[in-house]
Structure formats: C-alpha cells, structure tokens
Amino acid sequence: MPVYHLDLSQDQMEGSTIALLPGDPGRVKPIAEEIDQNSRELAYNREYHSYLSFIGNTPVITCSTGIGGSSTSIAIEELAELGIRKFIRIGTSGSIQEDISVGTIVITNGAVRLDGASDHFAPMTYPAVSDPAILFHLIKSAKKLGYPYRVGITASSATFYQGQERYDSFSAYVPRHLRGSLEEWQKLNVLNYEMEAATMFVLCSTMGLSAGCVCGIIAARAKSEHVAMDLKAETVKRTIEVAVNAIKSLIDEDM
Ligand code: URA
C-alpha cells in the first residue's frame, strides 16, 4: 500500500535512508539529475514529487515538500515511515542582514519557530536545531565549492507576506503584532526567512531522525521586498550543488 499523500510504496524506495527535500516539485528532477543522470521518477501526487537516484550503490530520494510547515510535516512523516532517517532541505530564502546578498548560501544551525506546525510535535520551549553531522557536511561542501556562505539562525515563518513583514501584498496590511518583527529578528542576529526549517528540525529531533537545511538567498530583505528573479536560477543551482556534495561526503564518511 502506498503512503497516502506521497503515493510512494516501500518497494519503490530500494532501501533509501537519505532524502533531499526541495519545496518546489519542479526542482525535484534537476536535483535528482545533479546526483545521477539515470535518476527515475517515482511518484507525483499533489505537491509531492519524488525521484530515486544512486550515489554509487547508495539510493537517495529527492521529494518535494510543498510550501510551509503543514505540507513539510506530512512529507517527513510519510518518508520516515518508508525508511528515511536523514533529511536535507534545499530551499530558497530572503536574507534580513545587510551584509548577506542575493546568491549567498545560508546553512541553518537553528530556527525560530514561527512555522505554525512544529508546536503540534513539541512545546514551544523545545529547540529547533540542525543535526550536527549534516551541518558539518553542508559547511564543508559550501567551503569546498567556494560559494559565499553563512551559518546561523533562520526564522521559519508560516506565511510569505505577513509573517515576513512584506507590505507588497493584496491588502498591504501587516497586523500590529508582526509590524517591526523583521527589524527585531535582524537585531537578534537572525540571518534569513524561509518557511520549513523549524518544522523539519523539531519533527526530526522528536522522532530521533536527522535534519539539515541549506538555502540560497534570492531576496535581500534589508534592501528590498522583491525576489531577485535575474539571479534566482544561479542561486538555486549553487544551493543544489552544496546539498548534493554534502550528501556525497556524508555517504563517503558512513562507508
Ligand atoms: N522564501 C521565503 O520564505 N522568503 C523569501 O524572501 C524568499 C524565499
């Protein structure tokens, strides 16, 4: 029987224990093909698109999570049921520090839990932290590839507009309790906004699984609310390379 949302069955997994998780279903094929040109599509249901690749003899799943904590929690639950134990998110993000420009890679060591889903797994006093081994390999990979990168705290927001204090929305209204929040996170040395890391980290820690997160910066929010579409493709490419290299070194070390 396939799991309900991902529409994936145990026999399709070939014993995989590692998964790469982009948000975007359209990014699954390019990630899988960065690993292995002979990767094959497994399933595509709702926002969950999955591929199987091999690094040497080691099977690796790439599966999209959709946007935000709720859909990410479903992907992790169902992948864990199918045997996945290590999860690496490959995302895009908006930086909030002046000195982090578009194209920079941000590797998250811990996340602010504004995701709206992680509190269904553990109380808010529970930390949202990366697995140290995955963190180590992501840093090693970014360093080796020579891309500009930073390591630090990420704010995971349940929403793209209000929660990340964007005013270029339909209503152009940010509720009072969220006004000034970008500046506050900036002052507290949070590096960036995205929408999934906190959910992944809390879920995985509570279930004894490992998670890491690497994001490419596609908006520099200290300067503009807008996504830099001209630099997005190159930034996504760098982020994929960093994650794929990291799992290669993680697998090498485990063997
Ligand atoms: N993803 C986000 O959540 N925020 C951004 O600014 C860019 C990508």
Side-chain angles (χ1 to χ4, degrees):
M1 270 278 281
V3 290
Y4 179 60
H5 298 88
L6 307 189
D7 194 27
L8 271 177
S9 318
Q10 191 73 61
D11 60 335
Q12 293 177 287
M13 302 291 283
E14 307 241 0
S16 306
T17 59
I18 304 177
L20 290 173
L21 306 182
D24 181 357
R27 228 169 272 153
V28 170
K29 185 168 189 266
I31 293 171
E33 289 182 347
E34 173 75 20
I35 302 174
D36 160 14
Q37 281 299 320
N38 298 316
S39 298
R40 69 169 193 271
E41 187 180 42
L42 297 181
Y44 199 160
N45 187 43
R46 297 176 176 238
E47 61 266 63
Y48 306 111
H49 190 197
S50 52
Y51 263 68
L52 173 73
S53 316
F54 280 88
I55 296 177
N57 293 323
T58 307
V60 175
I61 296 290
T62 303
C63 180
S64 50
T65 60
I67 296 177
S70 326
S71 63
T72 300
S73 73
I74 291 170
I76 293 176
E77 285 277 357
E78 294 188 2
L79 286 168
E81 267 182 55
L82 294 169
I84 301 296
R85 297 294 175 261
K86 292 185 168 81
F87 299 83
I88 301 183
R89 163 163 158 71
I90 307 179
T92 53
S93 167
S95 67
I96 59 174
Q97 297 295 334
E98 295 274 354
D99 63 346
I100 305 184
S101 50
V102 170
T104 305
I105 302 296
V106 171
I107 299 166
T108 303
N109 60 11
V112 185
R113 295 174 57 189
L114 310 173
D115 58 305
S118 63
D119 64 319
H120 287 205
F121 297 88
M124 290 304 286
T125 43
Y126 191 93
V129 290
S130 173
D131 172 74
I134 295 178
L135 183 64
F136 169 81
H137 286 283
L138 286 171
I139 297 170
K140 188 170 128 186
S141 169
K143 212 181 265 182
K144 181 175 150 199
L145 290 165
Y147 295 138
Y149 74 94
R150 293 280 295 271
V151 182
I153 298 171
T154 292
S156 298
S157 169
T159 53
F160 184 82
Y161 291 97
Q162 284 74 12
Q164 301 184 24
E165 212 187 341
R166 279 186 160 92
Y167 294 89
D168 63 341
S169 61
F170 175 65
S171 65
Y173 183 73
V174 173
R176 199 162 22 177
H177 72 283
L178 292 169
R179 266 178 260 152
S181 55
L182 188 149
E183 190 187 357
E184 174 139 296
W185 297 124
Q186 213 172 39
K187 293 226 156 73
L188 296 174
N189 281 321
V190 170
L191 304 186
N192 60 323
Y193 279 127
E194 54 77 77
M195 301 177 65
E196 295 83 12
T199 310
M200 277 187 79
F201 288 169
V202 170
L203 235 92
C204 287
S205 295
T206 57
M207 299 196 291
L209 308 170
S210 308
C213 173
V214 59
C215 286
I217 298 300
I218 58 166
R221 296 293 315 288
K223 298 186 182 82
S224 161
E225 291 190 1
H226 300 293
V227 168
M229 291 307 289
D230 51 336
L231 300 171
K232 187 175 166 190
E234 170 59 22
T235 307
V236 168
K237 185 177 140 293
R238 288 180 184 185
T239 318
I240 293 173
E241 279 180 55
V242 169
V244 169
N245 258 282
I247 50 166
K248 285 182 177 163
S249 77
L250 198 63
I251 289 168
D252 274 355
E253 195 180 76
D254 281 355
M255 291 201 316

